[in-house]
């Protein structure tokens, strides 16, 4: 866990023989420069929930400016652990993952948030829990990378998926229906539901539910709004429904999550 206080600009320099994940827990990086293995890459503003992944053996250098107070989670994974976890034909794929800076992905973010909880309140089985979340991180990165090279039949096009995700992201208290999403991309509800699951690994309903839990976790970390207010703003029918769903996803209540994530 890393915290920055009273410093609007920071220099970045990360080099590790294994994989590295860095997630913004608090604060926004609004401008800067990034270099991966000596090559300049485009800078993307990073807010709470944004993730950086550096594959094994990569060097990330640069600088950013933004909020003077910020907090991060840094997870480093030994390459031997990744190789053993995948084994066989997947081993080469895990070693060839590209660098990704400032991306958002619900599966990756949820796994990192669970690691935050284990760091805040460790117990005898925390190591096992963290290792299981690390497995999810690595598998999801392989899937995300593979989706660009091995498109499966029946998936939404990248353009249509982006339109559907934008519609989901822009909604708050009104949940878009399957019919709304299908109409947005111009296909039938049946075709959209099947193609969306092919593209994301989740049904539209499950994806929306997971994204709203993720959004509620962001608000618990970064605002002082009550859990009831957050539940309403994130589209939950009641505070009790929110508490049950949040506890099922994170293993703690919203109030306890906020207490553990305060740094």
């Amino acid at each position: 866990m890393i915290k920055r206080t009273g410093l609007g600009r920071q220099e970045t320099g990360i080099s590790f023989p294994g994989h590295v994940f860095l997630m913004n827990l608090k604060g926004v990086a609004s401008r800067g420069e990034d270099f991966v293995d000596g090559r300049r890459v485009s800078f993307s503003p990073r807010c709470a929930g944004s993730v950086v992944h550096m594959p094994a053996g990569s060097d990330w250098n640069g600088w950013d400016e933004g909020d003077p107070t910020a907090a991060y989670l840094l997870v480093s994974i030994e390459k031997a652990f990744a190789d053993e976890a995948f084994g066989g034909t997947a081993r080469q794929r895990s070693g060839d993952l590209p660098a990704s800076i400032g991306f958002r992905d619900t599966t990756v973010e949820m796994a990192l948030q669970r690691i935050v909880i284990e760091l805040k309140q460790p117990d005898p089985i925390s190591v096992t829990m963290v290792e299981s979340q690390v497995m999810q991180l690595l598998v999801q990165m392989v899937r995300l990378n593979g989706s660009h090279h091995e498109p499966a039949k029946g998936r939404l096009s990248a353009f249509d998926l982006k339109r559907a995700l934008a519609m989901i992201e822009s909604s708050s208290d009104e949940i878009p229906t399957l019919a709304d999403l299908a109409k947005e991309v111009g296909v039938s509800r049946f075709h959209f539901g099947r193609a969306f699951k092919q593209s994301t690994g989740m049904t539209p309903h499950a994806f929306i539910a997971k994204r709203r839990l993720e959004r509620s976790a962001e608000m618990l970390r970064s605002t002082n709004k009550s859990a009831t207010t957050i539940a309403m703003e994130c589209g939950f029918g009641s505070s009790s429904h929110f508490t049950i769903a949040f506890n099922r996803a994170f293993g703690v209540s919203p109030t306890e999550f906020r207490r553990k994530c305060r740094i």
Side-chain angles (χ1 to χ4, degrees), residues 35 38 42 57 65 84 99 103 143 145 164 175 199 204 220 235-236 247:
F35 298 85
S42 60
E65 293 179 348
E84 182 179 355
F103 72 97
R143 284 178 169 172
N145 182 48
I175 302 174
S199 302
L220 286 167
F236 290 92
N247 190 73

Side-chain angles (χ1 to χ4, degrees), residues 25-214:
L25 298 176
K26 181 179 181 181
V28 174
S30 54
R31 60 186 298 265
E33 290 182 304
D34 289 314
F35 298 85
V36 177
D37 296 331
R39 180 177 58 87
R40 184 172 182 172
V41 297
S42 60
F43 179 85
S44 298
R46 299 189 288 274
C47 59
S50 294
V51 178
V52 173
H53 169 246
M54 285 294 115
S58 294
D59 295 327
W60 174 35
N61 295 279
W63 60 272
D64 63 67
E65 293 179 348
D67 295 339
T69 299
Y72 312 91
L73 170 70
L74 176 68
V75 176
S76 59
I77 307 166
E78 292 184 357
K79 189 173 185 300
F81 178 89
D83 290 344
E84 182 179 355
F86 284 105
T89 58
R91 179 176 301 178
Q92 185 63 35
R93 293 178 63 196
S94 69
D96 291 339
L97 293 173
S100 300
I101 301 178
F103 72 97
R104 303 296 301 271
D105 179 78
T106 54
T107 299
V108 171
E109 292 175 48
M110 295 281 271
L112 289 169
Q113 287 165 353
R114 289 302 298 263
I115 291 175
V116 170
I117 294 174
E118 296 301 323
L119 286 173
K120 289 291 185 177
Q121 192 172 356
D123 61 33
I125 60 173
S126 286
V127 171
T128 301
M129 174 60 79
V130 169
E131 288 183 348
S132 70
Q133 300 306 312
V134 167
M135 281 290 296
Q136 289 196 47
L137 292 174
L138 294 171
V139 169
Q140 184 66 359
M141 293 309 298
V142 168
R143 284 178 169 172
L144 290 174
N145 182 48
S147 66
H148 297 295
H149 303 292
E150 302 170 9
K153 292 182 179 180
R155 288 183 176 178
L156 291 170
S157 68
F159 178 73
D160 286 341
L161 180 60
K162 185 175 181 179
R163 289 166 62 193
L165 295 180
M167 189 174 186
I168 293 171
E169 290 293 331
S170 64
S171 66
S172 55
D173 55 333
E174 293 188 9
I175 302 174
T177 65
L178 185 61
D180 294 332
L181 293 167
K183 184 178 179 180
E184 178 70 12
V185 300
V187 297
S188 69
R189 288 180 297 174
F190 174 78
H191 177 78
F192 177 82
R194 183 177 59 183
F196 187 91
K197 186 173 182 179
Q198 279 277 73
S199 302
T200 66
M202 304 176 69
T203 65
H205 176 76
F207 185 93
I208 291 171
K210 193 170 186 178
R211 183 66 190 100
R212 295 200 165 194
L213 282 168
E214 177 188 79

